[in-house]
Amino acid sequence: RKEVEQDPGPFNVPEGATVAFNCTYSNSASQSFFWYRQDCRKEPKLLMSVYSSGNEDGRFTAQLNRASQYISLLIRDSKLSDSATYLCVVNRPGGGADGLTFGKGTHLIIQP
Amino acid sequence: SQTIHQWPATLVQPVGSPLSLECTVEGTSNPNLYWYRQAAGRGLQLLFYSVGIGQISSEVPQNLSASRPQDRQFILSSKKLLLSDSGFYLCASRGQGSSPLHFGNGTRLTVT
């Protein structure tokens, strides 16, 4: 099982809809989690950290389920500008590569 | 907040030529520094990371090398480029503990 897994998509979603996708991780010692957004031919940019109690930033909600070992990202009232690849990052202190592992990303396409 | 400077933005080099990409970081001290590569349509591949001056960990055997001559300077080098070295090279920085990664704008390298 891969350490961090994401459905690559693409998710084709009409504008205004709500979309959610998950990221599963295999190591229960993982301690911190992040969602990044990457536009085509650009660098990844931090979208939000994921806190144990869940957190919201405008139209974006991130949640952590430690029991089932996954994090989720929900986007409400999706905009055309939300089209991007969404990467999850899992941090496991003491793990290899400084403990950071990236998922391969979920490609989201918002359609007008 | 920290700023990561990476240059050049694009680079076209012939096979067998040397490479030097430089990354500098502002707004933080003693960061962990990283070099990633992303091939077209693929995920991020960690190449090197550094937890301090002169300390380099290599994640993938290859014809690339990295150096950290100063606290906030990270250099990626090659003596002889291969066609397979083409890709999008990203420098990243993070503070200590569970802080997230921040990326530079990247260098798009094409080896011809």
Side-chain angles (χ1 to χ4, degrees):
Chain A
R1 182 180 176 185
K2 293 180 182 176
E3 193 163 348
V4 177
E5 289 196 76
Q6 293 183 254
D7 182 341
F11 284 48
N12 290 283
V13 175
E15 190 177 8
T18 296
V19 59
F21 29 82
N22 293 339
C23 167
T24 59
Y25 60 94
S26 61
N27 197 306
S28 59
S30 300
Q31 291 188 3
S32 50
F33 310 86
F34 309 94
W35 282 106
Y36 283 75
R37 171 201 169 116
Q38 186 174 24
D39 293 295
C40 186
R41 299 177 67 83
K42 296 287 189 180
E43 77 278 15
K45 293 185 178 178
L46 179 67
L47 181 63
M48 56 199 305
S49 302
V50 186
Y51 301 124
S52 296
S53 55
N55 48 300
E56 189 174 307
D57 183 1
R59 297 182 293 109
F60 297 84
T61 300
Q63 292 191 314
L64 167 64
N65 185 316
R66 284 195 185 274
S68 299
Q69 295 185 194
Y70 72 88
I71 62 172
S72 64
L73 180 68
L74 182 141
I75 306 174
R76 290 180 300 276
D77 187 23
S78 53
K79 312 291 184 189
L80 295 176
S81 57
D82 293 332
S83 297
T85 297
Y86 290 84
L87 305 168
C88 74
V89 180
V90 174
N91 182 33
R92 178 168 61 90
D98 195 34
L100 289 171
T101 305
F102 276 79
K104 294 195 181 301
T106 295
H107 189 199
L108 175 65
I109 301 170
I110 306 299
Q111 297 175 327
Chain B
S1 63
Q2 57 185 299
T3 304
I4 298 136
H5 299 281
Q6 232 189 293
W7 64 92
T10 58
L11 190 59
V12 180
Q13 292 283 105
V15 168
S17 63
L19 173 74
S20 181
L21 299 181
E22 187 167 342
C23 169
T24 59
V25 182
E26 292 179 359
T28 186
S29 295
N30 194 29
N32 290 350
L33 297 176
Y34 305 77
W35 279 110
Y36 286 87
R37 178 172 62 198
Q38 188 173 38
R42 309 292 292 273
L44 290 167
Q45 178 188 31
L46 179 63
L47 301 176
F48 301 95
Y49 73 97
S50 170
V51 299
I53 295 173
Q55 301 178 61
I56 308 295
S57 296
S58 175
E59 292 299 307
V60 187
Q62 59 216 328
N63 69 321
L64 300 171
S65 62
S67 62
R68 185 170 176 176
Q70 300 180 45
D71 180 45
R72 290 174 287 177
Q73 183 185 27
F74 204 23
I75 299 171
L76 181 70
S77 303
S78 173
K79 292 182 179 177
K80 286 186 178 181
L81 285 169
L82 306 172
L83 286 174
S84 57
D85 292 324
S86 294
F88 190 38
Y89 288 81
L90 290 155
C91 178
S93 170
R94 75 190 291 223
Q96 302 303 315
S98 300
S99 53
L101 271 178
H102 296 275
F103 288 87
N105 292 340
T107 295
R108 194 160 302 277
L109 171 67
T110 302
V111 182
T112 62

